[in-house]
Amino acid sequence: MRRGLAVLVALLGLALLAACSGAPTAPPTPSPTPSGPGIEVPTNARAYFFGDSWTEGQVARRGRGFPYVTSELLGWTAEVDGVGGTGYLRAHRPSTQTYPVRAAAIPAGTEADIVIVEGGLNDQCGDLALLKPAVRRTIDALQARFPGKPVVVLGPAPRTLPVPAALRQVDLLLRDACRNAGVPYISPIKREWITGLNFRDIIDPVTKHPTTAGHAYLGGRLAVALQDLMQQPQDSDVPSSAELRRGARVG
């Protein structure tokens, strides 16, 4: 099953290039949810995606943001709660709230079998000394709203290259916070999902957001990462002891 999804992601990469060249592509075929150790997610799970404009799917065609792609590949149903300009620390518009506030305000009765929290990109200019507590408050609020359900944190991916030092610091602090909270962390930066080889095919040069083809690629990579967590819980991107020491100096 792991190999099948990995092959599919490779095909998505080719489809991404074909989409950019104008060639037609076929939609990905959903894959069944595997069973095994790690995070427990039922077949036909309801997935709650919580995040910023990347989760919202800004720029992508309606219904083709990465949460929908990931869910299709895993045989899940997606509920998307993405608000542009928000983060664990930042809310760039007066009408929006930070992640901890938003998470605490999720309506009672909302159902989900797994929660995926994406973000951190909008927090680069915030007071990073406050980031880990804000991440923990967000996780605590989500675990209170969805008791007993796995929460997985997806870190930020770069919208410019090289990856800014501040964004790498955000990534490190997020991993540290997730380790302390005991939840899995997936780092697109550490896994090098976006590099100089594919950047122009994934990120729209005007808006600095993923294109529809970029969302297809990112959704496929996330599906593989989540499947790995269902099979091998140690595949979470937790920091090493040296990284923890570096994080303590800024957090």
Side-chain angles (χ1 to χ4, degrees):
M1 185 65 68
R2 166 67 171 81
R3 182 180 178 184
L5 259 185
V7 171
L8 183 53
V9 169
L11 292 176
L12 282 171
L14 294 176
L16 185 154
L17 296 176
C20 292
S21 65
T25 59
T29 302
S31 299
T33 301
S35 60
I39 61 172
E40 295 184 1
V41 184
T43 303
N44 302 321
R46 296 160 297 184
Y48 194 92
F49 288 84
F50 181 95
D52 54 26
S53 58
W54 287 46
T55 294
E56 186 181 22
Q58 185 175 330
V59 181
R61 288 200 313 271
R62 183 178 178 84
R64 299 314 306 157
F66 80 81
Y68 298 102
V69 175
T70 296
S71 296
E72 286 180 5
L73 293 173
L74 295 173
W76 297 351
T77 299
E79 181 170 349
V80 178
D81 182 2
V83 179
T86 63
Y88 295 98
L89 300 173
R90 306 293 299 275
H92 290 278
R93 298 192 302 271
S95 61
T96 59
Q97 302 289 342
T98 61
Y99 280 17
V101 177
R102 287 179 51 208
I106 294 174
T110 303
E111 297 184 351
D113 298 302
I114 181 172
V115 180
I116 297 96
V117 188
E118 171 273 329
L121 195 58
N122 293 318
D123 295 311
Q124 296 177 80
C125 298
D127 183 352
L128 296 187
L130 303 176
L131 182 58
K132 287 191 290 185
V135 174
R136 185 56 184 263
R137 290 196 303 274
T138 302
I139 292 171
D140 288 348
L142 291 169
Q143 290 177 331
R145 177 60 67 214
F146 304 103
K149 307 302 181 183
V151 174
V152 178
V153 176
L154 174 64
R159 60 186 175 193
T160 60
L161 290 178
V163 180
L167 191 61
R168 290 191 181 277
Q169 190 176 50
V170 167
D171 180 58
L172 176 61
L173 292 171
L174 287 175
R175 283 187 283 163
D176 194 355
C178 289
R179 181 187 181 102
N180 293 339
V183 300
Y185 182 64
I186 298 170
S187 170
I189 291 176
K190 181 179 179 181
R191 298 182 184 217
E192 297 185 328
W193 287 3
I194 299 179
T195 68
L197 296 177
N198 61 14
F199 180 83
R200 292 184 179 181
D201 298 321
I202 294 173
I203 303 298
D204 177 75
V206 176
T207 65
K208 302 300 183 183
H209 283 75
T211 61
T212 299
H215 274 279
Y217 166 77
L218 294 170
R221 294 300 298 260
L222 178 58
V224 171
L226 288 169
Q227 188 177 52
D228 283 347
L229 284 174
M230 287 185 278
Q231 297 173 332
Q232 301 291 336
Q234 68 270 23
D235 284 338
S236 171
D237 293 326
V238 295
S240 65
S241 297
E243 289 173 323
L244 279 174
R245 288 194 294 271
R246 289 198 299 272
R249 291 199 291 270
V250 297

